[in-house]
Amino acid sequence: MIIHGESTKYHQRLLRLLEATSRVRSLGATKCLHALLFTFGGTFSTQTTFLHNNIITLYASVKEFLNARKVFDRMPQRNTVSYNSMICCYSRFGCPDDAWRALKEMMACGLRPNQFTLGGMLSCASMDLSHGVRLQSLAMKSGLLAADAFVGTSLLGLFGRYGCLEETSLVFQDMPKKSLTTWNSIISCFASHGLVEDSMGLFCELVRAEEGTLSEGSFVGVLSGLARDKDLGFGQQVHGLAMKIGLDCEVPVSNTLVNMYVKCGSSTSLAERMFQDVKKKDIVTWNTLMGALAKSQKPGKAMELFKRLYKEDDVRPNQTTFMLMWVML
C-alpha cells in the first residue's frame, strides 16, 4: 500500500515526466508515461483526468490516433477538456463523423462545448459544409461566436476551403472581436480565390489598424494573390513595408516576394535581384527562380543557378528541382 507521502511523491514525479514528455514528443516516452499512470493512477484520482487528457494530446502529436482513442475510451472520468482533446484528435486525422459523435455525447453528458470544442471541429479539413453551418448556428446560440475570435476565425477557414466567399465576408463583418489570425485568414482566402483588390484593401485596412503587429502570414497572404503586371507597384510597397518591419528576411515572406516579382514583372530581372538579396534561402526559393528562368527562355541562367545550388551546404534539390531541369533538357 502507498501511503500519502509516497502518493504525493509519485504524483509530483508524474507531473515532471509529463512536462518533459511534452517537450520531447516521442512515442516511447508517451507510452512510458501512460504505463506509469495506469500503474499509479488510482493513487491520486483527483489528477487522473488531467493526466489522461494530456496523454491523449501527446499521442495525437505523434500521430498515434488509435492509442489516443483507447485512452479516451478507458477514462474513468471525462471533462470538457477530455472531449476537446479527442475532438481535436479526430479533426487532425480527418474523422469529422467521429468528432460530431463526440460532440453529441459531450452535450448528452451535460458538458457545454466551448470555443475550443467548436474551433477544433471547424478546423477539420474534411468537415462538410452542412455540418459547418450547424456548428455556426450552435456558436451563435451559445454566444461563442461573439466571445472571442477563435470560433469565427475557424469558421472563416471552413467557408474559405469551400469557396463560399460571400459567407466568409459576412462572418468576418459580423465578428465583434478579430485577431491578427482572423485578418490573415480572410486576406489569404480572398487572394487565393482571385479577389485581389479585396485582399489588398483588407491588407491596407489592417496596416492602418495594427502596423506594428503584422506577421509573416499577413505578408504571405496578400502577396500570394498578386499575379498581374499592374499589381507590381502595390507588391513593391508591401515589400518596402516588410523591410521596414524586418519581416522580409523570414523565409516564407522572401519566397513569396520572389514569386511575386516572377509573376508581376515583365522580365526576370526584379526576381533575380530579390533572389540575390535574400539572406536565408530554402529549396522553394531556388526552385521559384529556376522555374521563372526556364519559362523565360533562359535555360543557361537556370542551369547556372542549379550548379550554384549544389554548392550550398544546407539546401538540397528535391523532386521539383529535377523536374525543372528535365523540362529544359
Side-chain angles (χ1 to χ4, degrees):
M1 187 176 87
I2 299 177
I3 60 175
H4 177 72
E6 290 178 324
S7 170
T8 302
K9 178 178 67 176
Y10 282 121
H11 179 203
Q12 290 172 344
R13 285 180 179 176
L14 266 180
L15 290 177
R16 285 198 296 271
L17 282 169
L18 172 61
E19 183 181 355
T21 307
S22 299
R23 292 195 299 267
V24 175
R25 297 293 174 99
S26 102
L27 177 58
T30 303
K31 283 187 172 181
C32 288
L33 180 63
H34 186 191
L36 285 170
L37 176 60
F38 181 78
T39 304
F40 299 110
T43 310
F44 32 83
S45 56
T46 56
Q47 288 292 328
T48 53
T49 302
F50 168 79
L51 291 165
H52 275 103
N53 292 344
N54 279 275
I55 289 173
I56 291 171
T57 301
L58 287 169
Y59 273 132
S61 71
V62 293
K63 300 181 180 180
E64 284 289 320
F65 169 72
L66 292 179
N67 279 324
R69 186 166 183 166
K70 284 179 184 177
V71 174
F72 179 79
D73 289 342
R74 295 172 182 173
M75 286 180 70
Q77 285 185 315
R78 300 174 187 144
N79 58 18
T80 301
V81 177
S82 313
Y83 281 96
N84 287 352
S85 299
M86 203 62 224
I87 285 170
C88 287
C89 186
Y90 286 138
S91 297
R92 181 180 297 183
F93 287 92
C95 304
D97 292 338
D98 289 318
W100 195 259
R101 278 192 289 272
L103 175 63
K104 287 182 176 179
E105 181 184 318
M106 174 186 182
M107 295 176 71
C109 293
L111 297 172
R112 296 184 61 178
N114 58 24
Q115 66 267 40
F116 302 109
T117 317
L118 302 188
M121 293 190 69
L122 288 166
S123 66
C124 180
S126 51
M127 176 68 66
D128 64 71
L129 196 56
S130 62
H131 278 100
V133 172
R134 290 170 67 183
L135 288 170
Q136 180 184 20
S137 177
L138 178 59
M140 293 174 69
K141 288 179 181 178
S142 61
L144 291 173
L145 201 57
D148 61 29
F150 189 68
V151 176
T153 304
S154 301
L155 195 58
L156 288 179
L158 173 76
F159 285 139
R161 289 196 296 273
Y162 284 96
C164 303
L165 303 182
E166 185 176 347
E167 288 79 2
T168 302
S169 182
L170 288 172
V171 170
F172 180 79
Q173 291 172 22
D174 290 342
M175 287 177 65
K177 297 179 181 179
K178 301 177 178 71
S179 67
L180 181 58
T181 305
T182 312
W183 284 91
N184 291 351
S185 179
I186 194 166
I187 287 169
S188 180
C189 175
F190 283 170
S192 63
H193 286 91
L195 300 181
V196 181
E197 280 77 15
D198 293 293
S199 177
M200 291 161 61
L202 284 165
F203 181 81
C204 291
E205 191 176 337
L206 174 60
V207 169
R208 287 192 294 271
E210 300 186 60
E211 179 181 333
T213 59
L214 299 180
S215 69
E216 293 178 23
S218 312
F219 290 94
V220 171
V222 70
L223 287 166
S224 64
L226 307 182
R228 305 162 300 182
D229 290 349
K230 68 177 185 178
D231 297 333
L232 179 59
F234 183 80
Q236 289 175 317
Q237 292 180 43
V238 174
H239 185 184
L241 180 59
M243 292 175 66
K244 176 183 174 183
I245 296 176
L247 288 174
D248 61 310
C249 57
E250 299 298 330
V251 173
V253 177
S254 57
N255 284 349
T256 314
L257 281 166
V258 171
N259 194 42
M260 183 274 294
Y261 283 121
V262 165
K263 292 187 293 184
C264 299
S266 55
S267 71
T268 61
S269 59
L270 291 173
E272 290 178 70
R273 193 182 309 164
M274 179 67 208
F275 180 87
Q276 296 300 330
D277 290 340
V278 173
K279 293 181 175 63
K280 296 179 184 177
K281 301 179 180 71
D282 63 8
I283 191 58
V284 176
T285 325
W286 291 85
N287 287 346
T288 301
L289 186 57
M290 279 189 282
L293 292 169
K295 288 179 182 177
S296 300
Q297 304 301 312
K298 296 179 180 178
K301 277 192 170 185
M303 191 59 70
E304 284 299 317
L305 203 61
F306 180 69
K307 291 177 182 177
R308 281 177 55 193
L309 171 60
Y310 259 96
K311 295 178 182 178
E312 294 291 316
D313 294 328
D314 54 351
V315 183
R316 289 289 176 266
N318 60 12
Q319 186 176 0
T320 302
T321 316
F322 291 113
M323 286 178 65
L324 288 169
M325 293 301 103
W326 176 258
V327 169
M328 289 191 296
L329 294 176

